[in-house]
């Protein structure tokens, strides 16, 4: 089967972001960017499905600026066969991204689409579910295990009280949770080979998709700082403070 | 304005998260209706009708809604949503699963995990793992929103007298089926609702040592949580994870034991009222957010703490 994987270029998860002084957003100038960690897991799962002989072709897609080609090349180095960049310099909401991905799904006709469960910048956790609604496909969100069984997909999902397993009719959408797998590193020869793999660029206009949004960001602020605490010297002092000062036990 | 709140429930019991979501709906202002979708949910509907501030309870009782599979419940909610200005669900794994699907069916953006209501169109929500707070405004005909439950104090579970109306829309979309579930068993309070949370990290060294935390938690009436490092090391199951990718908690007291305090963990607990850190590394970032820090070996400090509380 053909597998489509969506990846997003985001600020590296180790970076401590700073809010711009004019409250228009966070400062992303000269900040290290990477592939969103949940997207790495999505690519890895697709590559493993190919190694098992389940997936025949892996197409990786990103919606973002031309610099997102770096993340697509990374995915190609990890084992994806070809890449599509939907190039836009606008910061799009999840629904617009889902509509663009729907247009790519219509063109590519994959049996399985894998996305991360959320991007660590917007923390939305929406795109996979929205793409499922737009395509009419079944969805297996927050997946910690994925098994193809004939024309069905068994997905074990991480839910609040534990784990839940659902059987989905293919084609289907899966979003990855952290425990689905441990992504591999790209080897140097594979990074070199990835440079020769095909990478196609399209625009939202060419896909015929409007990216207008009903939500706008008015301002972005730093969270209220916590007051500096104190260090206690002993357990006895800690208990005394919790009982008499903080009054929480 | 009329607001539809989707109830969270499990095995015939209305979940506390619903009460926090109703509280957010009241901040928006307007008539609050609650949808209870599921199978054999009569008791849940009656509990929802007693919730303070709820005027109407809609009950969709259908085998297809038993496990809130989004392929089945999203069309139901989208159909009902046309009569409302806002649709709210708690940001639980269920709410996060079906609500974006509802938003896309309605062709509107969704606003995730609001922590504050400014007015009927404007909300605050954390981004970048809680390192920034965005104020967003929606012009959508129907505002579709998930609510971070720790951002709103729960309304009273008693005192209301809403009418109960059955709805018979939708059914099995035939795209998905529930196979089974494996729920972690625990006698302690639920993590997201507990007043006190004791969490362990990689410093616990193994799963056996979590017994120290269970003993302390039982004495305090606390829930036990964990950092991702402790979950990935296999010490405890993943539903105990607190953080950006796990559960968000805001208890009165959060005791972090052997947890360094990575930003992804802090995103899940930094709104706790009082934070205590016990760590032998005095440079650990957790001490920057802790109200009370104790630099000590947890294997000595935790048993001593258990004796003294």
């Amino acid at each position: 089967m053909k597998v489509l994987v969506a990846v997003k270029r985001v600020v590296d998860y180790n970076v401590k972001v700073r809010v711009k002084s004019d409250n228009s957003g966070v400062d992303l100038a000269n900040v290290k960017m990477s592939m969103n960690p949940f997207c790495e897991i999505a690519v890895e799962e697709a590559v493993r499905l190919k190694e098992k002989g389940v997936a025949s072709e892996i197409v990786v897609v990103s919606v973002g600026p031309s610099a997102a080609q770096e993340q697509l090349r990374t995915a190609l180095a990890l084992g994806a066969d070809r890449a599509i960049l939907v190039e836009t310099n606008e910061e799009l909401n999840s629904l617009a991204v889902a509509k663009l991905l729907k247009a790519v799904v219509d063109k590519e006709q994959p049996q399985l689409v894998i996305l991360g469960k959320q991007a660590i910048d917007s923390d939305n956790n929406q795109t996979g579910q929205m793409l499922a609604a737009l395509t009419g496909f079944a969805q297996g969100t927050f997946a910690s295990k994925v098994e193809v069984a004939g024309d069905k997909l068994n997905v074990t999902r991480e839910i609040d009280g534990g784990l839940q397993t659902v059987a989905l009719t293919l084609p289907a959408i899966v979003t990855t949770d952290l425990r689905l797998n441990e992504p591999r590193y790209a080897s140097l020869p594979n990074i070199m080979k990835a440079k020769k793999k095909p990478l196609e660029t399209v625009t939202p206009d060419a896909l015929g998709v409007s990216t207008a949004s009903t939500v706008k960001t008015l301002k972005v602020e730093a969270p209220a700082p916590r007051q500096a605490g104190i260090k206690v010297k002993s357990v006895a002092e800690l208990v005394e403070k919790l009982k008499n000062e903080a009054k929480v036990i | 304005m009329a607001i539809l709140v989707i109830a969270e429930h499990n095995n015939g019991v209305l979940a506390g998260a619903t009460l926090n979501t109703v509280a957010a709906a009241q901040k928006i202002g307007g008539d609050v209706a609650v949808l209870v979708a599921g199978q054999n949910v009569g008791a849940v509907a009656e509990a929802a009708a007693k919730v303070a501030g709820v005027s109407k309870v809609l009950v969709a009782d259908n085998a297809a809604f038993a496990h809130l599979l989004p392929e089945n419940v999203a069309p139901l909610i989208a159909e009902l949503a046309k009569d409302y200005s806002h649709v709210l669900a708690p940001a639980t794994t269920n709410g996060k699963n079906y609500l974006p699907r509802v938003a896309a069916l309605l062709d509107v953006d969704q606003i995730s995990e609001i922590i504050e209501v400014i007015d009927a169109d404007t909300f605050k929500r954390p981004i970048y793992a809680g390192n920034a707070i965005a104020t967003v405004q929606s012009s959508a005909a129907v505002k579709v929103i998930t609510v971070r439950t720790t951002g709103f104090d729960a309304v009273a579970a008693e005192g209301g007298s809403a009418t109960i109306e059955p709805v018979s829309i939708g059914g099995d979309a035939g795209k998905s089926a529930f196979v089974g579930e494996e729920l972690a068993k625990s006698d302690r309070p639920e993590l997201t609702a507990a007043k006190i949370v004791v969490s362990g990290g990689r410093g616990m060294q193994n799963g056996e040592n979590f017994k120290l935390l269970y003993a302390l938690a039982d004495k305090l009436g606390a829930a036990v949580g964990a950092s991702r490092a402790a979950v990935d090391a296999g010490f405890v199951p993943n539903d105990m994870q607190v953080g950006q990718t796990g559960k968000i908690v805001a208890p009165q007291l959060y005791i972090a034991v052997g947890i360094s305090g990575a930003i992804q963990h802090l995103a899940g607990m930094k709104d706790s009222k009082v934070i205590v850190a016990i760590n032998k590394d005095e440079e650990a970032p957790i001490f920057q957010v802790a109200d009370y820090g104790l630099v000590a070996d947890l294997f000595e400090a935790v048993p001593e703490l258990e004796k003294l509380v």
Side-chain angles (χ1 to χ4, degrees):
Chain A
M1 65 166 76
K2 189 195 268 191
V3 179
L4 183 72
V5 182
V7 301
K8 185 176 184 185
R9 174 182 170 89
V10 298
V11 63
D12 188 86
Y13 72 99
N14 283 313
V15 172
K16 181 114 170 72
V17 295
R18 248 184 297 198
V19 170
K20 284 187 199 166
S21 54
D22 66 357
N23 294 121
S24 62
V26 300
D27 195 353
L28 294 179
N30 304 314
V31 168
K32 187 185 176 199
M33 304 294 278
S34 302
M35 192 192 297
N36 180 45
F38 291 100
C39 303
E40 288 182 354
I41 296 169
V43 172
E44 175 67 29
E45 195 63 19
V47 174
R48 289 186 190 191
L49 287 173
K50 192 172 179 192
E51 286 169 348
K52 278 188 214 153
V54 175
S56 50
E57 187 188 23
I58 302 169
V59 182
V60 60
V61 56
S62 190
V63 177
S66 66
Q69 288 189 25
E70 283 171 37
Q71 279 64 47
L72 289 172
R73 290 286 172 205
T74 302
L76 292 171
L78 291 170
D81 297 296
R82 60 190 172 86
I84 301 169
L85 174 64
V86 181
E87 194 172 331
T88 170
N89 285 316
E90 274 181 275
E91 206 170 309
L92 299 179
N93 284 324
S94 299
L95 182 62
V97 173
K99 285 179 179 174
L100 291 166
L101 294 177
K102 158 81 162 62
V104 175
V105 167
D106 286 346
K107 205 163 135 236
E108 296 287 340
Q109 299 286 319
Q111 282 293 96
L112 176 63
V113 186
I114 313 180
L115 303 88
K117 82 163 176 182
Q118 75 188 59
I120 60 165
D121 50 1
S122 61
D123 283 338
N124 268 338
N125 195 333
Q126 299 173 2
T127 308
Q129 294 90 315
M130 288 178 158
L131 179 61
L134 299 175
T135 53
F137 295 174
Q139 67 188 58
T141 54
F142 326 143
S144 61
K145 197 175 167 195
V146 174
E147 276 173 337
V148 179
D151 62 345
K152 298 266 185 216
L153 193 67
N154 287 325
V155 179
T156 301
R157 308 176 52 237
E158 297 195 8
I159 60 169
D160 283 334
L163 298 170
Q164 178 193 68
T165 303
V166 290
L168 310 177
T169 304
L170 290 168
I173 311 275
V174 165
T175 75
T176 63
D177 215 320
L178 279 168
R179 263 156 298 275
L180 182 59
N181 60 48
E182 256 183 68
R184 69 192 69 189
Y185 292 98
S187 67
L188 188 59
N190 285 342
I191 292 170
M192 300 311 288
K193 276 185 215 150
K195 292 182 178 173
K196 296 202 177 75
K197 289 185 179 176
L199 192 159
E200 177 195 352
T201 299
V202 294
T203 62
D205 283 347
L207 292 172
V209 174
S210 157
T211 55
S213 170
T214 53
V215 171
K216 65 176 176 190
T217 300
L218 301 181
K219 64 178 170 184
V220 174
E221 298 161 295
R226 282 189 81 92
Q227 289 217 306
I230 56 161
K231 289 230 173 99
V232 294
K233 295 208 168 48
S234 67
V235 173
E237 189 188 351
L238 174 64
V239 172
E240 191 272 323
K241 295 268 188 208
L242 289 177
K243 277 188 175 150
N244 301 321
E245 199 175 273
K247 297 190 192 339
V248 284
I249 56 172
Chain B
M1 250 179 317
I3 302 168
L4 183 65
V5 169
I6 318 300
E8 175 85 8
H9 62 87
N10 191 15
N11 302 324
V13 179
L14 185 72
T18 310
L19 304 177
N20 306 85
T21 311
V22 170
Q26 287 183 333
K27 290 244 163 77
I28 294 167
D31 218 24
V32 179
V34 171
L35 170 69
V36 178
Q39 189 181 19
N40 300 327
V41 286
V44 177
E46 276 169 35
K50 290 195 190 109
V51 172
V54 174
S55 64
K56 186 164 70 173
V57 175
L58 301 173
V59 186
D61 209 319
N62 189 321
F65 304 147
H67 299 279
L68 293 177
L69 295 175
E71 297 79 6
N72 299 348
V73 296
L76 163 75
I77 299 169
E79 182 60 34
L80 293 172
K82 289 168 185 161
D83 297 330
Y84 294 87
S85 60
H86 296 72
V87 176
L88 270 57
T92 54
T93 46
N94 277 328
K96 290 175 184 175
N97 192 26
Y98 60 70
L99 208 64
R101 192 165 180 127
V102 172
L105 291 176
L106 294 169
D107 195 23
V108 296
D109 292 287
Q110 185 198 276
I111 301 177
S112 295
E113 305 220 20
I114 60 162
I115 53 169
E116 201 181 319
V117 174
I118 308 290
D119 60 37
D121 309 326
T122 319
F123 309 91
K124 284 194 179 181
R125 60 175 301 263
I127 53 175
Y128 290 91
N131 288 299
I133 308 294
T135 304
V136 296
Q137 189 173 48
S138 170
S139 57
V142 183
K143 277 97 179 156
V144 178
I145 297 165
T146 61
V147 175
R148 181 171 286 189
T149 52
T150 58
F152 299 88
D153 292 331
V155 298
E158 300 286 334
S161 56
T163 54
I164 298 179
E165 277 176 32
V167 292
S168 49
I169 304 172
D172 193 344
K175 291 193 168 123
S176 56
F178 172 82
V179 176
E181 60 190 5
E182 206 179 300
L183 300 178
K185 289 193 185 97
S186 171
D187 297 330
R188 294 185 190 85
E190 200 207 340
L191 197 50
T192 51
K195 289 207 161 51
I196 303 179
V197 173
V198 180
S199 277
R202 200 195 302 273
M204 298 306 295
Q205 293 179 3
N206 58 49
E208 185 73 4
N209 288 336
F210 263 74
K211 275 187 185 159
L212 295 172
L213 302 189
Y214 296 139
L216 174 62
D218 288 341
K219 212 140 171 214
L220 291 167
V224 178
S227 69
R228 183 170 175 225
V231 172
D232 281 354
F235 301 172
V236 290
N238 62 46
D239 55 291
M240 284 172 62
Q241 186 189 324
V242 171
Q244 186 184 14
T245 57
K247 289 179 182 164
I248 312 286
V249 300
Q252 295 286 307
L253 173 61
Y254 188 89
I255 305 178
V257 181
I259 291 176
S260 64
I263 54 174
Q264 292 84 357
H265 185 74
L266 299 184
M269 46 64 82
K270 69 188 170 60
D271 293 324
S272 305
K273 184 160 172 269
V274 174
I275 298 173
V276 168
I278 301 175
N279 204 304
K280 66 181 176 190
D281 174 13
E282 62 179 314
E283 303 293 323
I286 190 78
F287 286 117
Q288 291 164 19
V289 300
D291 298 278
Y292 302 106
L294 177 64
V295 181
D297 183 345
L298 70 94
F299 295 104
E300 287 165 21
V302 173
E304 195 183 342
L305 183 59
E306 189 218 322
K307 273 194 208 105
L308 291 177
V309 294

